[in-house]
Amino acid sequence: MTQLDVAGVSKEYPTPSEPLRILRDLSLSLSAGENVAVVGPSGSGKSTLLHILGTLDTATSGSVTLDGIDPFSLSDQELADYRNQNIGFIFQEHYLLPQLSVLENVLVPTLAKGNPTAEQIELAKELIERVGLADRQNHRPAEISGGERQRVAVARSLIMDPLLLLADEPTGSLDRNNASSVAELLIELQTTDQKMLVVVTHSSSISDLLQRQLLLDDGQLKSMNKVE
Ligand code: ADP
Ligand code: MG
């Protein structure tokens, strides 16, 4: 069943002359357990698309529905709650808080609703174990490696049990070995937990790990033939 449905989305930025058109009548559907890579040159609108999917930005026209809900029909507070509960983000930078432990960092998204519950603390520990950091739970970000920090960011993206994971160059700051192992881990967790995942990447060795490869070109997503 389709859970993410993007239909006819356009995004324009006003300029003194004619509007700058970034996305043009763009469509995309995803079902639970599906993942897709979005590739394209710098400035092609990949981050703009992820921000719209993540409800951090609005489209100029078109519709986005996630689990049957149009997030843009919600009030600001409802939208913030909706995003917190349904969408997990992973960025190129880990954005871990330096003064917090690994465990506390994974729990940060739960703080929107007050103190984490005992159940959420258990889930955080389980996620930390699944990303291979059980023995690093009480370390601070400065005390673990770059690849490990990004694994913590992966665990944090899953703590609210979201429907949709959005990753913008999630391995862009890592060396090649760490990049593949973080990407493999992200995909393994996403497929096991039947989440939807959109990964923006420059790297063909990362995009090849995903089920579908789409090129963002001239404001639209185009299917790419996988090189065998
Ligand atoms: P990518 O992530 O593919 O590198 P972006 O989505 O960040 O591309 O940006 C796409 C285009 O939109 C770029 O040309 C950028 O300059 C332009 N852009 C992004 N945000 C704004 C904004 N707030 N106002 C005007 N132009 C913007
Ligand atoms: Mg970008």
Side-chain angles (χ1 to χ4, degrees), residues 10-198:
S10 296
K11 179 70 179 179
E12 298 178 354
Y13 290 110
T15 71
S17 52
E18 56 188 40
L20 185 62
R21 297 187 86 187
I22 308 298
L23 305 177
R24 200 166 52 88
D25 194 22
L26 177 150
S27 298
L28 173 69
S29 300
L30 277 182
S31 302
E34 289 188 333
N35 62 51
V36 61
V38 174
V39 303
S42 185
S44 57
K46 304 181 299 298
S47 295
T48 303
L49 172 62
L50 277 205
H51 288 153
I52 293 171
L53 300 182
T55 75
L56 297 166
D57 195 1
T58 53
T60 309
S61 59
S63 72
V64 176
T65 49
L66 182 56
D67 204 24
I69 292 176
D70 168 7
F72 300 111
S73 67
L74 304 173
S75 71
D76 285 354
Q77 185 54 54
E78 287 169 338
L79 180 59
D81 287 347
Y82 181 83
R83 183 187 305 127
N84 177 248
Q85 282 159 28
N86 293 296
I87 306 171
F89 294 92
I90 301 152
F91 301 96
Q92 179 166 351
E93 301 305 325
H94 51 76
Y95 296 121
L96 300 180
L97 297 171
Q99 71 277 27
L100 300 185
S101 67
V102 163
L103 177 61
E104 289 164 338
N105 265 290
V106 171
L107 286 164
V108 161
T110 69
L111 302 179
K113 288 275 174 259
N115 286 328
T117 62
E119 221 173 48
Q120 287 172 322
I121 294 170
E122 272 321 296
L123 175 60
K125 290 180 179 171
E126 191 185 306
L127 286 167
I128 291 167
E129 192 173 333
R130 289 174 78 194
V131 300
L133 295 175
D135 54 354
R136 299 283 191 281
Q137 184 175 293
N138 297 314
H139 285 54
R140 316 259 161 226
E143 299 162 350
I144 57 177
S145 72
E148 289 170 340
R149 288 194 277 267
Q150 207 57 334
R151 286 166 180 261
V152 179
V154 169
R156 181 186 54 193
S157 75
L158 285 159
I159 187 69
M160 300 303 287
D161 194 22
L163 289 168
L164 174 63
L165 292 171
L166 299 173
D168 197 346
E169 298 282 1
T171 61
S173 299
L174 303 177
D175 63 56
R176 188 185 260 267
N177 283 342
N178 272 307
S180 350
S181 78
V182 167
E184 281 163 12
L185 175 72
L186 170 63
I187 294 164
E188 181 200 315
L189 295 185
Q190 171 259 327
T191 45
T192 306
D193 294 1
Q194 290 288 289
K195 309 296 182 197
M196 298 178 285
L197 169 67
V198 181

Side-chain angles (χ1 to χ4, degrees), residues 36-42 44 46-47 50 92 167-173 179-180 183 186-187 198-210 212-216 224:
V36 61
V38 174
V39 303
S42 185
S44 57
K46 304 181 299 298
S47 295
L50 277 205
Q92 179 166 351
D168 197 346
E169 298 282 1
T171 61
S173 299
S180 350
L186 170 63
I187 294 164
V198 181
V199 180
V200 163
T201 181
H202 271 105
S203 156
S204 58
S205 57
I206 303 295
S207 63
D208 284 350
L209 298 171
L210 291 129
R212 274 196 284 162
Q213 292 71 33
L214 299 173
L215 173 68
L216 185 53
M224 293 171 75

